[in-house]
Amino acid sequence: MESNLHQLLNKAETQHLEHISGSTGNESIAQTVCAFLNSGGGTLLVEAGTAPQAAKNRQTEIIESIRTAITPASLWSAVLEQAGGEYLCVIDVPAGRDRPYVVENVIYLRRGAQTLKAGPDDIRDLVETSVGGGERWERKVMVDGDLDRLDEELILTTAEEAVRRRNYPLQDSTNVQSILTDLSMYRRQAITQAAEVVFGRRPAIPFPQVRVRLTVYASDKGGEFLDNRQFEAAAIPMLEQVFSVIRQHTPIAGTFDSGLKRTDRPAYPEAAMREGLVNALVHRDYANFSGGIAIDMYPGRLVIWNSGSLPSGITIGDLKREHPSMPRNPDIAQVFFLRGFMERVGRGTQKILDECKEAGLPVPTWTANDAGVTLTFHNKLGRSSTKLNLRQKKLLEESKPGDVLKLGEYCERFAISDRQARRDLGDLLQNGWLDREGEGPSTVFVRTQKTWNSAKPGQTRPNQE
């Protein structure tokens, strides 16, 4: 994250980026946020000093000021980041979906690197484009929009988390109708379609497109599958249920030091997988009744597909660098943000890239067409060599699960040096045929349940249960 922040600090101000000194007033900050909302989104970097508590107080003050000043309510985030000993309040503002936004009844726009009041022609263009877009899917009210369709406990928990995590100003955090009104999910005496998706007891009945399919394949070529499930819950429980199954089936990668001490970790960073799933749930096209989310897990890769195209003006290349965020479903995204499943609004792809880079994994890939957007994670398990020497093959052929072996025994059995034995056993550890137990002289190697196919060496996989 710090490297991305330094990149922003070194960039010149543009229509989508502004640096603001610590002495700038809150009203000016709110006006710039308003301008970003009306002009395709952007990021503000506000100096917040060097003292941690003072920076936290400044962040709180800025958040409360923006929420109070701008109407209608909008989606954005403000988090503290540190660079070179100084704190910055990083405000990420996606393109607004309910334009025009105003501060004290004044519309603001970005013109190059400046924030300016909108003129008569600008106002007319904003209004015409907003009206021309029509009411978006998530804001439409349910025909049978009674509150009893929703999970009251889930709504109250969300309100509690919104106040605790984000200090979100709810009029009454104990009243379901009031909470939904504050979240723009209760309008004209009925719940919206977004409320049904996020909090519905059985959202798949009116909207079958909310379903998520997850398939785990035995081979990278597909074909035979190990698990195949379909999920139909509301969005937040859906996230938790699906992610739990993804974790269950994610391979475990082991790394070893010179002493053959193994450190196990998931083949993909959990934060990156979670972010990819959140992005699919938040940005998918819910208006497409034939759409959905499909997750395919292969031994060497994890693929997440969601219906819906990229926003106009955004390319695949943009996803791999800082870019304006244009959420398809800002009301739904707001709930995920308030619940803590999104830290910086509109920066999910950057987080995925950072996490995979830190884990030493190949760069994830995105593809997009009219049908949907696909994110593919690649692990390193399928990239490691599984070509075994004759000693290693003989050991696997003559041993069974649970057999115990010491380093010295392996050296004596094959008349090789200690160094060569460590290299041989390290390969078998890395590929899952052995486990290491104990420390120092008491170290032993235990044959695992992973099967050995002498006809097709290396093509079987370890039992992850």
Side-chain angles (χ1 to χ4, degrees), residues 32 234 273 386 427:
T32 302
M273 292 190 293
T386 55
D427 287 342

Side-chain angles (χ1 to χ4, degrees), residues 363-385:
V363 177
T365 57
W366 283 269
T367 58
N369 53 35
D370 292 339
V373 178
T374 302
L375 165 63
T376 303
F377 293 96
H378 306 272
N379 66 47
K380 295 193 293 186
L381 298 181
R383 297 161 65 91
S384 61
S385 172

Side-chain angles (χ1 to χ4, degrees), residues 264-308:
D264 290 333
R265 58 176 57 87
Y268 316 101
E270 291 194 352
M273 292 190 293
R274 186 186 301 109
E275 195 70 36
L277 184 54
V278 167
N279 281 353
L281 288 165
V282 167
H283 298 301
R284 54 165 295 182
D285 181 8
Y286 285 97
N288 182 357
F289 273 74
S290 62
I293 294 176
I295 302 167
D296 295 318
M297 301 187 71
Y298 302 88
R301 65 189 188 278
L302 166 64
V303 182
I304 302 175
W305 173 89
N306 65 269
S307 56

Side-chain angles (χ1 to χ4, degrees), residues 256 262 388 391-393 395-396 405 410 423-435 448:
F256 305 87
R262 175 171 176 154
L388 304 182
R391 295 184 300 272
Q392 293 166 323
K393 293 177 182 179
L395 177 67
L396 294 177
L405 177 72
Y410 189 83
R423 186 157 49 242
D424 281 6
L425 296 177
D427 287 342
L428 297 176
L429 280 165
Q430 181 73 54
N431 286 284
W433 280 293
L434 295 179
D435 275 339
T448 68

Side-chain angles (χ1 to χ4, degrees), residues 89-357:
C89 185
V90 182
I91 307 174
D92 291 304
V93 187
R97 294 295 300 273
D98 299 309
R99 301 183 304 171
Y101 295 86
V102 301
V103 173
E104 295 184 353
N105 296 319
V106 177
I107 299 172
Y108 291 89
L109 298 172
R110 292 288 286 182
R111 288 284 184 268
Q114 293 184 301
T115 294
L116 302 172
K117 292 181 180 180
D121 292 341
D122 299 320
I123 295 172
R124 184 180 62 253
D125 290 343
L126 277 173
V127 172
E128 288 178 351
T129 55
S130 298
V131 172
E135 187 175 46
R136 63 179 183 270
W137 186 91
E138 66 171 356
R139 279 284 174 90
K140 293 179 179 179
V141 298
M142 297 287 294
V143 175
D144 180 17
D146 296 336
L147 292 170
D148 58 10
R149 300 179 60 94
L150 307 180
D151 185 332
E152 180 177 342
E153 182 178 351
L154 184 57
I155 296 170
L156 294 175
T157 299
T158 296
E160 181 182 335
E161 291 288 290
V163 174
R164 182 178 69 85
R165 290 178 178 274
R166 309 298 185 189
N167 196 28
Y168 194 77
L170 296 170
Q171 296 182 52
D172 185 350
S173 61
T174 63
N175 181 281
V176 168
Q177 181 175 319
S178 178
I179 295 168
L180 293 174
T181 300
D182 288 339
L183 296 176
S184 301
M185 293 185 176
Y186 190 83
R187 309 172 64 217
R188 302 194 292 272
Q189 301 303 307
I191 65 171
T192 66
Q193 296 183 150
E196 179 74 17
V197 167
V198 176
F199 300 121
R201 296 182 187 276
R202 302 183 69 184
I205 293 179
F207 304 125
Q209 67 268 34
V210 304
R211 296 186 176 102
V212 174
R213 177 189 59 77
L214 188 153
T215 305
V216 183
Y217 292 97
S219 164
D220 279 322
K221 295 182 179 180
E224 179 185 357
F225 56 82
L226 305 176
D227 199 350
N228 188 29
R229 308 190 192 191
Q230 184 167 272
F231 301 84
E232 298 186 348
I236 297 298
M238 178 95 75
L239 170 65
E240 296 166 341
Q241 293 171 17
V242 174
F243 187 64
S244 176
V245 178
I246 289 177
R247 290 184 64 190
Q248 175 186 337
H249 287 288
T250 297
I252 300 300
T255 56
F256 305 87
D257 57 23
S258 58
L260 294 180
K261 183 175 181 180
R262 175 171 176 154
T263 300
D264 290 333
R265 58 176 57 87
Y268 316 101
E270 291 194 352
M273 292 190 293
R274 186 186 301 109
E275 195 70 36
L277 184 54
V278 167
N279 281 353
L281 288 165
V282 167
H283 298 301
R284 54 165 295 182
D285 181 8
Y286 285 97
N288 182 357
F289 273 74
S290 62
I293 294 176
I295 302 167
D296 295 318
M297 301 187 71
Y298 302 88
R301 65 189 188 278
L302 166 64
V303 182
I304 302 175
W305 173 89
N306 65 269
S307 56
S309 58
L310 292 175
S312 177
I314 298 295
T315 67
I316 290 296
D318 292 330
L319 299 179
K320 297 183 178 181
R321 52 180 175 263
E322 292 285 340
H323 61 277
S325 175
M326 302 178 184
R328 185 188 301 274
N329 309 292
D331 293 348
I332 294 174
Q334 176 86 306
V335 173
F336 277 81
F337 173 69
L338 295 176
R339 288 294 299 264
F341 295 113
M342 299 167 63
E343 188 56 38
R344 289 181 61 193
V345 173
R347 294 295 175 262
T349 56
Q350 291 296 311
K351 183 173 183 179
I352 290 170
L353 291 167
D354 290 344
E355 292 287 343
C356 290
K357 180 180 179 181

